[in-house]
Amino acid sequence: MSALGNFEQDGHTDAEPPEIRLQARAVSRGIVAGRAVCLYGSNRQFYRIEIPVEAVAAELTRFRDAIAAARKQLSRLAGRNKGAIGHSGPGIFAAHLALIDDPSFGSKIENEITRQRVNAEWAIKSVTDEYVSKYKAVTDEHLRDRYIDIEDVSDRILSALGGSSELELLFGKDSVVVAEDLKPSTLVEIFAHGPRAFITENGGWTSHSFILAREMKRPAVTGVKKIFRQIKTGDRVIVDGFNGQVILNPEPEALARVSKTRPQTEIKSSERPAQLGPIATLDGRKVRIYANADDPAAYLRAKEFGAEGIGLFRSEFLLTRFRNRPSEDEQVEAYINAAKAAGEAGVRIRTFDINGDRLADQSFAREPNPALGLRGVRLGLKHKTSLRTQLRALLRASHAGRVDIILPLVSDIGEVQAVRKILAAESRNLRSKGTEVGIPKLGVMVEVPSAVLMADEFAEEADFLCLGTNDLIQYLLAADRDNESVSEWYRTLHPAVVRAVRKVIQAAANANRPVIVCGEMAGSPYYVPLLIGLGASELSMNPTSIPRVRKIISGIAAEEAETLVKNISDARTVNEVESKVDKHIRKNWLHLFPEDFTFH
Ligand code: PEP
Ligand code: MG
């Protein structure tokens, strides 16, 4: 046992601990039992892994390499920011450099790896926690705040460790992943190792991780306060994604209920649509269904349910697949494969919607407010190398199949014009070298209030619009979509959201441009009638949502949906809208909803 103590209790005491029920919020349906595995880290997530004695030397090398990489990044940052941020910027980076070079910090971590025989990530966490709690106890305010620097440096080393780990993931098939925040890249990475369910402290219905969890048909709940104080690695847990509950140390009765419930992993044959292809409402309004899919396999699944093309390909998932550096050729291949799968209906590929910290060159200073920061098309226009590479790949791929482009987080028409210029220049360059290119259409995500207010102009400037309701709700209502504590303010049926959606759909219709609704709203049976009533005729959603949405569309009349829109038009509060929508659905369409469907 090290002087630092062991943070995790893997074993159990003899006395059976009592059953405890923790309140949570359901974000992916289903109920399962399993064993908790706690994940830590904000950038690249990790958990405690015991390593064999013969792997210790390699783990030490991995740690030393990460220190060297982090040192290099910090030196670059300190140099780049000299003079730019006055005195404090370089000072901070110099302090971080000093910390990284502090021999006692490094040797404590190395000792932890050697003596405890744990992975470098866990050793860093243990030592950092020890330092942080010491600094937090200091009375001198100035000195106390040093814990922030320590956390910062430790995060940087943890990031630098990412990508080079040869450690096998040791998840059991019954693992239930527990995390404060679950990163989508972590979820993708661990999915093959079969986690059964997810429990987090933070996140919302539209968080990418939960979009993925629903797609993977794994139950998930969020909103468990002080999660690591309540749940430890090895705890027996039930995740109830129907009622929004976590049951710790479940009694046999609770376990019996789980075993009676059908797992969510397979689509029932009754959910497969009888007919594929275009569908229409009872009174004949045609609605086109696309898939939100990032790889051909996902699309082919969606096609079985009647998807006609890929409405949204979130290309940032390629970053996870290619360790943050997909080359131009790797991108071309991925885009062509998607286009081939999608066939004539084509694929709409959104350029990387990321913050700077996801770029391979991780020398970006951390942003205080990433959702309002250098993200999406802004990042592309500020650091053009990566955008140019991606546009070249898209131009090349669009010669081989129908590939269109979507720009994320657009807030000004000038951004569309700037990208068009780059596209034209890259297209000329490629052609001059004898490379064949296509002519992709250029669409924009409408997900920022300024784009809604300027929807008429955007509809003229862009070839098509994609209505990103996930972000639109967050930016309209100033409520972080990933922050559980403001989930009460993140309300899809806020009258302002309804008005914004209507305005965008009308603007597109006036300009005779397509508009695809592609946020989670489009995949929810509950919101689809409203979207139809507002005039939507193209919806893009996760493959697994398609059967339920098709059932709704073919079971409602557009006229009835328009009546619903009229009914809510004088509602002034979100609660009023919700209760009117609830009432209308129960009165007219209850038979189209599953028995266990949760209304507001
Ligand atoms: C959206 O914002 O609604 C959207 C579709 O994109 P993402 O969820 O990837 O932000
Ligand atoms: Mg978005």
Side-chain angles (χ1 to χ4, degrees):
M1 177 89 171
S2 100
L4 300 171
N6 201 340
F7 283 80
E8 287 288 277
Q9 295 290 320
D10 281 327
H12 290 275
T13 52
D14 288 343
E16 277 301 321
E19 181 177 287
I20 298 170
R21 294 186 177 230
L22 305 174
Q23 207 42 47
R25 200 157 66 87
V27 279
S28 180
R29 292 153 67 75
I31 181 166
V32 294
R35 289 246 181 218
V37 176
C38 295
L39 287 193
Y40 298 85
S42 56
N43 209 331
R44 189 164 190 277
Q45 295 189 293
F46 60 90
Y47 63 109
R48 184 184 202 274
I49 302 172
E50 277 167 30
I51 56 175
V53 67
E54 60 274 17
V56 166
E59 200 57 11
L60 288 172
T61 309
R62 200 163 81 85
F63 169 66
R64 286 169 198 153
D65 289 349
I67 287 277
R71 186 184 293 119
K72 214 160 141 192
Q73 284 170 10
L74 279 169
S75 311
R76 219 172 344 164
L77 277 170
R80 186 189 296 172
N81 287 314
K82 220 171 251 170
I85 334 176
H87 301 297
S88 62
I92 287 166
F93 296 125
H96 287 190
L97 268 171
L99 233 163
I100 263 194
D101 288 327
D102 180 339
S104 72
F105 185 63
S107 64
K108 270 194 171 174
I109 295 170
E110 293 200 3
N111 264 342
E112 190 75 358
I113 297 173
T114 315
R115 289 217 235 124
Q116 295 290 322
R117 285 203 224 132
V118 287
N119 48 328
E121 287 86 349
W122 191 260
I124 293 167
K125 175 189 158 30
S126 306
V127 173
T128 305
D129 283 356
E130 188 201 12
Y131 272 83
V132 166
S133 61
K134 272 189 193 154
Y135 273 106
K136 277 188 174 169
V138 170
T139 40
D140 179 294
E141 207 175 295
H142 191 67
L143 201 57
R144 193 167 59 225
D145 282 352
R146 283 215 71 197
Y147 82 88
I148 298 170
D149 293 331
I150 293 165
E151 282 180 339
D152 229 7
V153 165
S154 139
D155 261 4
R156 192 173 290 281
I157 308 170
L158 284 167
S159 295
L161 276 172
S164 54
S165 170
E166 297 302 328
L167 290 167
E168 274 290 301
L169 281 157
L170 301 173
F171 281 1
K173 284 283 175 220
D174 64 346
S175 302
V176 167
V177 171
V178 179
E180 283 176 341
D181 299 273
L182 183 64
K183 290 183 79 79
S185 51
T186 307
L187 201 149
V188 169
E189 206 175 310
I190 62 181
F191 184 62
H193 302 272
R196 270 199 188 153
F198 305 98
I199 308 172
T200 68
E201 182 157 346
N202 265 311
W205 181 58
T206 62
S207 295
H208 279 174
S209 296
F210 298 132
I211 294 177
L212 282 167
R214 289 194 290 276
E215 197 43 39
M216 295 162 172
K217 294 201 157 265
R218 296 292 188 273
V221 298
T222 185
V224 177
K225 305 245 158 57
K226 301 207 163 56
I227 196 159
F228 292 137
R229 286 205 207 154
Q230 314 226 46
I231 310 174
K232 306 270 182 249
T233 293
D235 283 352
R236 290 179 306 119
V237 285
I238 288 177
V239 181
D240 183 348
F242 292 118
N243 299 307
Q245 211 176 40
V246 175
I247 307 174
L248 277 172
N249 318 311
E251 302 278 359
E253 244 170 58
L255 288 167
R257 201 183 131 230
V258 175
S259 54
K260 269 193 237 137
T261 315
R262 194 176 61 86
Q264 292 274 300
T265 42
E266 277 313 312
I267 299 275
K268 283 189 273 183
S269 58
S270 61
E271 283 178 347
R272 284 174 204 280
Q275 291 171 308
L276 297 180
I279 50 162
T281 57
L282 290 173
D283 48 355
R285 167 102 70 81
K286 288 202 178 78
V287 179
R288 201 182 170 114
I289 306 273
Y290 298 93
N292 292 348
D294 318 313
D295 68 73
Y299 176 68
L300 294 176
R301 226 174 331 125
K303 201 172 161 197
E304 267 187 53
F305 302 143
E308 295 180 273
I310 300 178
L312 173 65
F313 179 108
R314 292 177 165 105
S315 69
E316 56 274 16
F317 285 94
L318 285 177
L319 297 175
T320 308
R321 245 170 265 159
F322 292 98
R323 302 193 162 192
N324 282 355
R325 294 171 188 272
S327 68
E328 185 176 322
D329 287 348
E330 282 164 340
Q331 290 189 52
V332 173
E333 194 186 338
Y335 303 152
I336 290 181
N337 287 342
K340 276 192 184 146
E344 265 177 41
V347 53
R348 286 136 205 89
I349 296 177
R350 186 176 70 188
T351 55
F352 298 137
D353 190 7
I354 51 168
N355 287 93
D357 60 0
R358 289 289 305 280
L359 284 183
D361 170 11
Q362 291 202 1
S363 51
F364 281 86
R366 203 182 294 154
E367 292 182 294
N369 198 344
L372 302 181
L374 198 53
R375 197 196 128 179
V377 74
R378 302 171 185 181
L379 181 68
L381 289 171
K382 189 103 179 160
H383 299 276
K384 294 200 182 70
T385 318
S386 159
L387 177 67
R388 280 184 182 278
T389 307
Q390 187 167 29
L391 293 179
R392 277 197 304 277
L394 288 162
L395 281 162
R396 286 169 57 194
S398 68
H399 181 259
R402 176 158 177 209
V403 172
D404 293 326
I405 301 173
I406 312 173
L407 302 177
L409 208 82
V410 171
S411 58
D412 181 54
I413 299 281
E415 292 157 349
V416 188
Q417 292 168 339
V419 173
R420 267 205 205 282
K421 260 195 196 157
I422 301 175
L423 256 180
E426 290 298 343
S427 175
R428 268 194 313 273
N429 273 343
L430 285 168
R431 272 187 277 123
S432 71
K433 288 181 200 143
T435 309
E436 292 181 304
V437 297
I439 309 175
K441 292 198 165 60
L442 186 62
V444 294
M445 292 296 298
V446 179
E447 53 187 353
V448 172
S450 63
V452 175
L453 293 174
M454 305 277 294
D456 291 317
E457 289 81 354
F458 273 104
E460 276 168 19
E461 192 73 33
D463 299 318
F464 63 99
L465 306 181
C466 284
L467 189 49
T469 53
N470 303 339
D471 274 318
L472 184 57
I473 297 166
Q474 112 164 317
Y475 292 123
L476 263 184
L477 305 179
D480 184 345
R481 62 193 265 192
D482 296 323
N483 182 347
E484 175 59 22
S485 57
V486 290
S487 62
E488 275 170 67
W489 281 268
Y490 185 97
R491 301 280 274 276
T492 306
L493 290 182
H494 192 290
V497 174
V498 178
R499 257 184 230 183
V501 171
R502 188 199 334 240
K503 179 164 171 40
V504 176
I505 292 174
Q506 279 177 358
N510 293 343
N512 207 12
R513 291 279 201 266
V515 55
I516 304 174
V517 186
C518 62
E520 288 301 283
M521 203 177 168
S524 156
Y526 189 78
Y527 300 125
V528 162
L530 179 68
L531 290 173
I532 302 293
L534 290 168
S537 60
E538 303 194 39
L539 307 176
S540 191
M541 65 202 69
N542 296 334
T544 46
S545 303
I546 296 176
R548 272 176 281 141
V549 169
R550 283 181 76 101
K551 183 172 171 187
I552 298 285
I553 292 170
S554 50
I556 67 171
E559 211 176 290
E560 275 178 320
E562 280 157 11
T563 309
L564 164 65
V565 171
K566 269 197 208 111
N567 279 350
I568 62 167
S569 60
D570 59 347
R572 301 165 77 100
T573 66
V574 57
N575 286 345
E576 262 178 87
V577 181
E578 281 179 359
S579 86
K580 286 186 172 192
V581 171
D582 246 36
K583 224 185 253 167
H584 195 96
I585 291 184
R586 284 175 197 277
K587 187 165 154 232
N588 298 284
W589 302 313
L590 198 57
H591 60 288
L592 300 172
F593 284 77
E595 265 170 35
D596 55 1
F597 193 83
T598 332
F599 290 88
H600 282 107

